[in-house]
Amino acid sequence: MHNTQILSEVLERSAQRRDERRAFLRTAGSAVAIAGGASLLAACGDDNNNSAPTPTPSPTPPPTTGVTDADVLNFALNLEYLEAQFYSYAAFGTGLPSASLGGIGTQGSVTGGRKVNFTDPVVAAYAREIAGDEIAHVNFLRTALGNSAVAMPAINIDGSATGAFTAAARAAKVVGSTGTFDPYASDENFLLGAYIFEDVGVTAYKGASPLLTNKTFLEAAAGILAAEAYHAGLIRTVLYAKGVAAPSLRTAAGQISDARDSLDGTTDLDQGITSSDTTQSNIVPTDSNGLAYSRSTGAVLNIVYLNNAAVTMGGFFPAGVNGVIRTSGAN
């Protein structure tokens, strides 16, 4: 399918959401709404037409009883496997080496993934840089965990009609109900595929950080969080810049944001790459205090499982993740 067709459809209620964000911005000045969870399976229909959301600083998620530092790091490792495989295939045409895949739990394989034929050398360079970082994150976490590291679970990064990327894009109405979304088909599609993951990675590390008790591990997680935030800002910046000439690209990013937004409850907190339906950029999604927002482990799994119920598998992880933290949130 031609890229302009892939990016041309609009979420049924995206205009309403943009109006709500604009109303908030008028009352909060330059502050932007705190971002929160999302769904890539449900249509975005849980907003109140009569009032704009009034964000507050992200509360610190309460510690999960019985969860150890190793459990938290293994949860992060599952997400890093996903990101590293996606970027590695897109940038280099190959996945992680077998030496980086073993561990506790059932080792899975990767479905989909191939090298992008980049036409913009800047996007190609960014893809290679992020891929290198994500691969390093996997190896770092595996080294930190030692014999406690979980194996890579089964991962679906397929862009075919039956792949996880297409399921996500159909739910977000980036493509029609029978359309296909291939993140390896073009620079723009790659950026949108990356956009699905990057914001989630930032919020996942921030949300999980209070669960860590070891300061050394906390510092390491903060370092990865910072790297993921750089990646997310880069992807959002390039999407916005390309969207100046191709507004449908900004629309598609907004659709993905709106779709994520129906995942972790009734809030409308996730933010697209524009702060309204004007050309005003929104590169850094923060709350009214300028703080990045958090997602619980359950909300993160809702997104990658493409399901807004309490489940243990689906979407990008068709057999679930490995480790103790593996159930998504119930909404």
Side-chain angles (χ1 to χ4, degrees):
M1 179 175 291
H2 193 275
N3 184 58
T4 56
Q5 291 177 292
I6 292 179
L7 302 177
S8 63
E9 298 187 16
V10 185
L11 278 176
E12 296 173 1
R13 302 185 65 183
S14 61
Q16 172 193 323
R17 289 175 177 273
R18 289 193 296 268
D19 289 342
E20 290 172 344
R21 291 187 179 117
R22 188 189 307 114
F24 170 72
L25 290 170
R26 283 198 299 267
T27 61
S30 61
V32 292
I34 179 175
S39 175
L40 291 175
L41 274 187
C44 303
D46 55 6
D47 288 82
N48 186 332
N49 291 332
N50 298 319
S51 62
T54 305
T56 56
S58 304
T60 300
T64 302
T65 302
V67 173
T68 68
D69 286 359
D71 295 332
V72 176
L73 294 184
N74 271 317
F75 171 73
L77 178 57
N78 282 283
L79 302 178
E80 295 295 349
Y81 281 134
L82 173 62
E83 288 190 301
Q85 293 287 21
F86 169 66
Y87 283 112
S88 183
Y89 272 105
F92 309 124
T94 59
L96 294 171
S98 58
S100 298
L101 304 181
I104 297 173
T106 302
Q107 181 178 328
S109 58
V110 177
T111 301
R114 73 175 192 276
K115 192 176 188 301
V116 178
N117 183 22
F118 291 105
T119 58
D120 185 337
V122 173
V123 177
Y126 288 162
R128 291 191 295 270
E129 180 179 359
I130 296 176
D133 290 342
E134 299 299 351
I135 293 169
H137 290 169
V138 168
N139 292 330
F140 173 79
L141 288 172
R142 287 176 57 84
T143 299
L145 286 161
N147 292 334
S148 297
V150 295
M152 184 197 76
I155 288 175
N156 186 315
I157 49 172
D158 191 14
S160 72
T162 58
F165 275 110
T166 291
R170 287 177 181 174
K173 300 190 186 317
V174 172
V175 299
S177 60
T178 60
T180 299
F181 179 78
D182 181 0
Y184 314 102
S186 67
D187 296 42
E188 292 75 17
N189 280 17
F190 163 76
L191 290 167
L192 288 174
Y195 177 63
I196 292 175
F197 295 143
E198 286 300 341
D199 280 10
V200 178
V202 174
T203 59
Y205 274 100
K206 184 171 182 291
S209 60
L211 304 178
L212 293 170
T213 59
N214 183 294
K215 289 186 177 181
T216 299
F217 290 159
L218 181 59
E219 181 186 19
I224 299 178
L225 168 60
E228 297 291 353
Y230 279 124
H231 296 165
L234 184 153
I235 295 298
R236 293 173 73 94
T237 298
V238 179
L239 276 172
Y240 176 80
K242 287 184 174 292
V244 171
S248 59
L249 194 58
R250 293 201 308 265
T251 297
Q255 289 172 293
I256 291 170
S257 172
D258 283 346
R260 286 193 307 238
D261 222 348
S262 61
L263 182 68
D264 60 355
T266 59
T267 57
D268 178 17
L269 302 174
D270 202 284
Q271 300 169 28
I273 58 175
T274 57
S275 58
S276 68
D277 58 357
T278 69
T279 58
Q280 175 70 36
S281 66
N282 185 41
I283 303 304
V284 185
T286 59
D287 66 14
S288 57
N289 293 310
L291 303 178
Y293 59 97
S294 303
R295 281 190 173 100
S296 67
T297 56
V300 170
L301 291 174
N302 280 128
I303 295 173
V304 296
Y305 287 167
L306 304 182
N307 200 310
N308 62 357
V311 297
T312 58
M313 65 185 70
F316 295 99
F317 291 103
V321 298
N322 284 322
V324 171
I325 304 173
R326 61 189 319 268
T327 303
S328 59
N331 299 313

